[in-house]
Amino acid sequence: MAIEIRIFKAKAGVNWFKAGWELFKCQPGTFILMHLFIGVLSLIALVAPIFQLPAALAMPFVTAGFYRAMLNRQQGKKIAFFDLFNVFSEAGRRLMLFRLGLYHLFGGFILALLTTSLFQGLSEPLNAYLQAVESQNVDLVQLHAQQVIDSIQFSNIIVLIAAYSLYTMCFAYTIPLVYFSENNSILECIKASLLVFWHNMAALGIFGAISAGLILFAAFLSFIPLLFTLPVLYAGFFVSFQAMFMSSVIVKSEQSNNEQPQAQNHDRFDA
């Protein structure tokens, strides 16, 4: 079953970010804790390779839980940190999310092999450079630094950036597509995720530029602002998913008069 994609103009990227900020403000502490846990789960796989497989398989579940919590918050429901794990007990999509974790892991493995293949000649001059740094010999440091630079081929960098970009576009929207849609084909979800970047390149480019700018700004402040900016960007990214894929799926729950202003924010999802 083909997945319908909606197309937006460039300014939609700004609107998605604004809507993400409005969503984040509803319950900032909970969203920060949720994203902090996802970040720690990602780091565990990097620093402890033995946990790479379980972390990769768990990531689609907790990310889907994060998106479900965002949707519940949009509908006026209170959310808690442990809502992040509710997807593990939900029947119907667990097998698909498990399989998606395997797809992610396989894609990451291919990228690792590609990186090793492209830069296999870099290890020797890089090790020599590190040894020169430890010896604090300025002349050797400069010599080996130049050797490292000479060993890097610009074409290899372009190939690697293209490969990582393709990987990102293929899997960016697959988790919410697998979880929220009724499509049972992961390959169809990957195809839709890739096509949505092609058809909404301007809007997603603007949103990506805003994200990159905020992350670079946080870098000058010891990355501390990332505790706030990354959950906002996640929320904005989920809003973009709703706008492009999920407008017919969202069910607006009945809300009391004091929650009516929040319900009006749903119009922003289709911006």
Side-chain angles (χ1 to χ4, degrees):
M1 181 177 64
I3 300 175
E4 182 181 352
I5 298 172
R6 299 182 65 190
I7 301 174
F8 294 87
K9 296 181 179 179
K11 66 178 182 179
V14 178
N15 292 336
W16 295 336
F17 173 74
K18 291 179 179 178
W21 169 246
E22 294 298 327
L23 175 57
F24 172 78
K25 289 195 301 182
C26 294
Q27 227 173 304
T30 305
F31 285 132
I32 289 174
L33 286 176
M34 286 181 167
H35 186 270
L36 190 60
F37 178 83
I38 292 175
V40 170
L41 188 63
S42 301
L43 290 176
I44 287 176
L46 293 176
V47 300
I50 192 174
F51 295 112
Q52 187 171 7
L53 178 58
L57 296 178
M59 187 62 71
F61 288 87
V62 294
T63 305
F66 196 18
Y67 292 147
R68 167 55 70 180
M70 291 180 189
L71 182 59
N72 288 340
R73 183 62 260 187
Q74 289 169 352
Q75 295 174 345
K77 302 173 185 177
K78 287 291 183 179
I79 60 174
F81 169 74
F82 290 102
D83 292 347
L84 200 65
F85 309 102
N86 288 345
V87 178
F88 285 100
S89 60
E90 291 182 11
R93 297 279 92 183
R94 287 180 296 189
L95 180 59
M96 287 284 289
L97 289 171
F98 177 80
R99 289 172 54 201
L100 182 58
L102 293 177
Y103 275 68
H104 273 275
L105 192 63
F106 179 74
F109 178 71
I110 294 299
L111 284 178
L113 285 179
L114 178 63
T115 303
T116 302
S117 175
L118 291 175
F119 296 99
Q120 59 182 352
L122 188 61
S123 58
E124 185 175 341
L126 184 60
N127 289 333
Y129 170 76
L130 294 176
Q131 292 175 1
V133 171
E134 291 179 359
S135 66
Q136 297 183 352
N137 188 319
V138 177
D139 293 333
L140 282 178
V141 168
Q142 293 178 347
L143 174 63
H144 291 301
Q146 186 60 46
Q147 290 177 346
V148 170
I149 295 174
D150 294 339
S151 300
I152 298 175
Q153 297 183 18
F154 184 73
S155 59
N156 288 348
I157 296 176
I158 296 298
V159 170
L160 190 63
I161 291 175
Y164 272 87
S165 299
L166 181 63
Y167 173 82
T168 300
M169 290 187 289
C170 284
F171 287 101
Y173 288 100
T174 51
I175 292 177
L177 278 172
V178 165
Y179 180 67
F180 288 108
S181 74
E182 297 180 356
N183 196 295
N184 290 318
S185 172
I186 292 180
L187 291 179
E188 192 67 32
C189 293
I190 292 174
K191 177 183 175 182
S193 180
L194 181 60
L195 288 177
V196 82
F197 276 88
W198 174 260
H199 292 295
N200 289 279
M201 190 176 299
L204 288 171
I206 293 296
F207 183 79
I210 294 173
S211 302
L214 290 174
I215 292 173
L216 286 175
F217 175 75
F220 289 105
L221 299 175
S222 302
F223 293 100
I224 295 176
L226 290 181
L227 288 173
F228 304 93
T229 56
L230 288 181
V232 173
L233 295 176
Y234 253 79
F237 182 78
F238 180 62
V239 169
S240 73
F241 164 76
Q242 289 177 303
M244 292 184 289
F245 291 108
M246 199 180 171
S247 58
S248 61
V249 179
I250 298 174
V251 179
K252 299 180 184 179
S253 61
E254 294 182 0
Q255 299 182 4
S256 58
N257 292 333
N258 62 336
E259 292 176 328
Q260 191 63 31
Q262 183 182 339
Q264 294 173 355
N265 285 337
H266 287 292
D267 295 337
R268 194 175 300 200
F269 300 151
D270 296 327

